Amino acid sequence: MKAKFDREAFLQAANVVNTVVPTRTPRPILENLRLTLSEDKARLQGTDLEALALTVEVRGVHVEEPGDVLVPAAQLVQMLRAMTDEEVVFEGSIQGVSLRGEHSEYELPAEDPQLFPEVASFEEGESHQMQAGSLRQLIERVVFAAAQESFRYAMNGVLWELDGEKVRLVATDGRRLAIADGIAVPHGGHKAQGTPVVPTRAMTILERHLGDPAEPVFVRMRSQDCMFKTSRLTLQARLVEGRFPPYREVIPKAVIAKATLIAGPFLAAVKQAAVVADPERGSGVDLTFQKNKVILEATSQDRGGRAKVQLPIEYSGEKIEIRFNPRFLMEMFAVLEPDQEVLFEFQGREKAAAFRAGNDYLYVVMPMSREAG
Amino acid sequence: MHCLPETYPSNSVYKYTISGSASGASAHVALPVSAKLGARDFRLGLDSWTGETPQRLVLHLDIDAFFASVEQLDDKRLRGKPVAVGTGVVASCSYEARRWGVYTAMRLSEARRKCPELIVVPGRYPRYEMIAQQLLEVCQRFTPVVESAALDDFYLDLGAADEQAGERVGRQLREWVRDVLHLSLSIGAGANKLVAQVATHQAKPGRQVQVFPGRERAYLAPWSVTILPGVGPAAARQLYRLGLRRVGDLTQVSGQLLEGLFGWPGRCWYWYAHGLDPRPVIAQRQPHSISRRTSFDPPEADPMFLRAMLTYLLERAASWMRFVRRRALGLEVFVRYGDGQGSSRRWRVRPATNHDAELRAYALEGLAALLQRRLPLRLLGVTLSPLQAETGQLALFCEPWQQRQQRLQQCKDAIRQRFGFLALTSGEELVLLRQLEHDRDRLVLRTPCLTR
């Protein structure tokens, strides 16, 4: 097999696939990438066999002789990174392969591709179609709220709800909840089976490597796994097992006060106050809504610092107070456009509060109790 | 009569104010003086640095031979005699005993060899705790910043008070302790914790030593390096080999050298040797772990009794943990078998919890595993560690059974606070009440925990 690659493009593709290659595994064969050359196409594949499998098309390739081979992932990336040539020639067989530039040449061992697990391909058929730009926004708006380690529920991932032409992504860590709605067009009567929860890692990998915003992305949810396909990338991920918490029950219904915030200035004000807050020790940021302004206050218990920030807003109700972990607010407001209007909904100082950005983004946060602080 | 202040004088904790505005918002940030003290002040070498350090006055208080003195106070027959408190090791000993060469942390068998007339008493922790609490409350009338480093060991931050104020506060405290508690108090005063603590050594017994500002370095110089926090026997040996015996010797070498040899502690010793100690006095020092234990003589083999005792110890630890607003991320059960061998079992608890029932399940599982050796136990204990601060963050998805558990826990704590800890016991613990002496608050255990 033999092909001429654009080095940058080859390196980039190898880097992407390398994110799913396990570094410590009882099956060393998985530490390889599978490179398949066919007429004018090169494809890199990697999998950890447990959670993720990724296939990427390499751009800027000129195939002279098709073939199929396994190469050690870490070495391939290191070599491509070390080379300075614009173009590299890849040549070899399962006995060994070489990478040749103008002034440098590397040789590395190879393995038989028959030993590599079969990675499912995304053949035509049932799926939902989305736009890359909108999918990226949806993921960005919820993924930060997913749990790092959860015990009771399947919260280590993002819930996907596909209903007709609507798609909803939900993530929660048990203290805050993010819900983002978008559009997905079903093809061939595709439906999600059950309530698929996609692992957080799969979501972040996908988000990072989505290309042109107008490009279509195909989504397929199956009983055990899910698949995403763009023009150059196919990602397969095992779904998170278990029950997603009953999130609809915690969306605020008995709202007693509302205020309108502008994302940019509010984020800046929270950041200012958060300098002295220490939520891990029970001191969050206190928000006091008064006529046409909100006051953010924080006190550091250990070191005795204190912050007070005032922000003019549209608010005409009675004075209300609530305490939040500032990180929860900053993470949400950071994904919004600075001029986005956000509607704040208040139910009570120890009850869930909601932030709504437009009709398609809802963020519910549980406050911190003032008694414990 | 003693003229103690009713409340502390307004102290000037907030000294620096930064004001500014951005994006239509106005901000006001105040930082305390102690937050300004950081490593960056020392970067250019301490000898060349002539800047002003914000002056503060720290008092260190220590009751002389605390446990032993309390025993002598309560029991006339012990007065004037060598007394040691503790089981196994000396937790505290009277000055009469010290004359025989007995010292704290010595094994009791060795102490008895050195001083055949030594009277050993097991100690009554609740009594000591009560006295310490009284002293703490009096200290808090002078300043809100009182750190309780050990049971009878307090640091007071008097802010920018001058020496006369320090002298006056010290005298009032010593007189109060002498006349009300009938004990003897030693006080060290200085610009920081280290100087104050070293001065207390010199002040013992029953006096006050004040180190004047600017004299810290000279005052510390003649002391042995072992006086510095973190210098244990191993580090001391290494320092001796380098010819560094006195604190003053450490100023003759570079901070880089000490840091290279001993890591970060070495750098701190270098600062200490220059009379600088940036450690703030922390009013509420939060515990990193909470432990309760007891020993059995003769060794105890009845699994029913041991389970009940473990439950009791755990609930005591957990109720204290809830009082200081912490949650446990881990739990360890430890034992010493009749043959002297020790063993333990550790669990990671996720998510962090402060519920008796949840913790008890882990603890009993640990005990069951440890009892596999089929030997009676000499010692049984439980440690909750690491601890996480109770943040007050509420949960979105709270199941009914969890809310019920939470309420039950709160009721239990409220009842126990009002009517005594033993007002509520599980059926399992009845075996303890039948076999051990107790009052409304606690069982009388052979070895109560002598540390906090």
Side-chain angles (χ1 to χ4, degrees), chain B residues 26-275:
Chain B
S26 67
H28 176 88
V29 181
L31 290 172
V33 176
S34 61
K36 296 266 156 187
L37 279 174
R40 63 169 194 275
D41 296 338
F42 309 117
R43 196 171 293 155
L44 295 172
L46 298 176
D47 298 308
S48 62
W49 187 67
T50 53
E52 286 274 315
T53 320
Q55 205 47 252
R56 57 180 184 138
L57 186 65
V58 176
L59 252 54
H60 177 241
L61 274 56
D62 192 41
I63 298 179
D64 303 324
F66 182 39
F67 301 162
S69 301
V70 174
E71 294 303 330
Q72 286 180 322
L73 180 71
D74 293 351
D75 186 348
K76 274 187 194 155
R77 291 169 299 175
L78 298 179
R79 290 187 197 160
K81 294 191 179 141
V83 177
V85 178
T87 47
V89 293
V90 177
S92 165
C93 55
S94 69
Y95 279 86
E96 293 84 359
R98 287 180 200 199
R99 243 169 261 142
W100 290 81
V102 177
Y103 56 85
T104 307
M106 182 184 254
R107 293 190 73 84
L108 269 181
S109 49
E110 199 187 334
R112 283 207 182 90
R113 236 191 346 267
K114 289 212 168 191
C115 171
E117 288 163 40
L118 189 71
I119 304 170
V120 180
V121 289
R124 295 162 300 152
Y125 189 73
R127 169 86 174 125
Y128 311 144
E129 205 173 34
M130 203 179 76
I131 293 175
Q133 185 61 33
Q134 279 178 306
L135 178 57
L136 175 67
E137 278 165 22
V138 169
C139 292
Q140 281 166 340
R141 291 197 214 168
F142 293 97
T143 168
V145 192
V146 180
E147 175 177 333
S148 150
L151 196 55
D152 65 327
D153 212 352
F154 297 107
Y155 288 99
L156 274 67
D157 189 340
L158 295 182
D162 57 12
E163 299 90 61
Q164 284 94 29
E167 212 278 319
R168 203 178 58 240
V169 171
R171 198 181 55 243
Q172 287 181 5
L173 281 169
R174 277 185 304 131
E175 283 171 2
W176 184 84
V177 169
R178 187 191 64 207
D179 298 346
V180 179
L181 298 179
H182 306 290
L183 293 168
S184 150
L185 181 71
S186 303
I187 295 183
N192 55 48
K193 277 170 118 174
L194 176 70
V195 174
Q197 190 205 340
V198 173
T200 311
H201 274 279
Q202 202 193 341
K204 275 178 181 289
R207 286 173 299 148
Q208 173 163 1
V209 170
Q210 186 133 7
V211 180
F212 290 101
R215 299 280 306 146
E216 292 84 12
R217 188 174 152 182
Y219 176 74
L220 293 173
W223 290 85
S224 156
V225 287
T226 51
I227 201 95
L228 297 177
V231 180
R237 267 199 302 279
Q238 211 174 338
L239 287 168
Y240 285 180
R241 269 207 299 277
L242 295 165
L244 305 170
R245 295 180 165 269
R246 309 266 158 225
V247 175
D249 299 341
L250 297 181
T251 60
Q252 305 302 315
V253 294
S254 76
Q256 275 159 355
L257 173 79
L258 289 172
E259 190 174 348
L261 285 170
F262 300 97
W264 185 245
R267 170 68 67 175
C268 293
W269 301 336
Y270 177 71
W271 293 346
Y272 293 157
H274 282 84

Side-chain angles (χ1 to χ4, degrees), chain A residues 106-306:
Chain A
Y106 288 100
E107 281 180 12
L108 67 166
E111 295 269 6
D112 183 358
Q114 300 300 321
L115 301 171
F116 204 66
E118 195 61 46
V119 173
S121 63
F122 196 109
E123 63 290 337
E124 302 297 311
E126 299 175 7
S127 66
H128 267 77
Q129 185 185 340
M130 298 178 73
Q131 277 191 332
S134 111
L135 177 57
R136 176 184 290 139
Q137 190 187 48
L138 291 185
I139 297 175
E140 215 175 65
R141 286 181 161 195
V142 300
V143 77
F144 64 86
Q148 303 297 325
E149 46 174 356
S150 157
F151 306 88
R152 275 192 303 128
Y153 289 113
M155 299 196 291
N156 306 320
V158 174
L159 173 74
W160 276 67
E161 285 187 346
L162 292 163
D163 178 22
E165 296 218 334
K166 280 185 278 188
V167 61
R168 168 174 278 191
L169 267 60
V170 188
T172 178
D173 64 0
R175 294 163 297 177
R176 70 295 195 26
L177 167 81
I179 304 174
D181 290 323
I183 296 167
V185 184
H187 288 302
H190 176 250
K191 266 189 199 144
Q193 296 167 3
T195 51
V197 179
V198 180
T200 315
R201 202 160 141 248
M203 292 278 77
T204 41
I205 290 175
L206 183 66
E207 185 215 334
R208 210 177 308 147
H209 302 302
L210 284 171
D212 177 17
E215 183 193 23
V217 183
F218 297 93
V219 182
R220 181 177 297 157
M221 294 290 166
R222 304 194 296 192
S223 58
Q224 299 286 320
D225 61 3
C226 58
M227 295 185 83
F228 299 90
K229 184 182 184 316
T230 69
S231 62
R232 60 178 291 251
L233 172 148
T234 308
L235 174 68
Q236 183 189 11
R238 178 179 288 270
L239 296 176
V240 178
E241 282 173 27
R243 188 165 65 95
F244 199 79
Y247 75 90
R248 276 173 231 273
E249 291 171 14
V250 300
I251 298 175
K253 291 173 189 79
V255 176
I256 55 173
K258 289 184 185 185
T260 309
L261 308 164
I262 307 296
F266 185 70
L267 175 62
V270 175
K271 275 185 181 165
Q272 278 182 301
V275 168
V276 293
D278 187 1
E280 308 311 319
R281 288 169 174 275
S283 83
V285 170
D286 287 324
L287 272 63
T288 309
F289 288 84
Q290 289 171 3
K291 192 170 164 51
N292 290 331
K293 69 175 173 190
V294 58
I295 300 167
L296 297 92
E297 281 171 291
T299 313
S300 158
Q301 294 185 327
D302 271 10
R303 317 191 72 182
R306 202 165 55 193

Side-chain angles (χ1 to χ4, degrees), chain B residues 360-436:
Chain B
R360 186 170 160 269
Y362 285 105
L364 291 184
E365 199 180 320
L367 181 65
L370 290 166
L371 289 179
Q372 296 287 321
R373 264 195 92 203
R374 303 173 77 92
L375 275 176
L377 299 188
R378 223 174 244 295
L379 178 127
L380 172 66
V382 61
T383 302
L384 301 172
S385 142
L387 302 179
Q388 188 187 54
E390 182 83 68
T391 62
Q393 175 64 52
L394 303 168
L396 267 174
F397 308 101
C398 208
E399 292 188 7
W401 64 268
Q402 279 184 313
Q403 284 170 344
R404 279 204 304 277
Q405 278 281 337
Q406 189 88 34
R407 276 205 301 277
L408 177 66
Q409 191 77 71
Q410 282 165 358
C411 288
K412 257 169 83 175
D413 285 345
I415 292 171
R416 282 178 164 171
Q417 210 154 34
R418 190 154 162 210
F419 299 105
F421 193 86
L422 291 184
L424 272 181
T425 51
S426 61
E428 174 176 51
E429 287 168 275
L430 288 175
V431 58
L432 300 178
L433 297 184
R434 275 201 301 275
Q435 293 192 18
L436 297 169

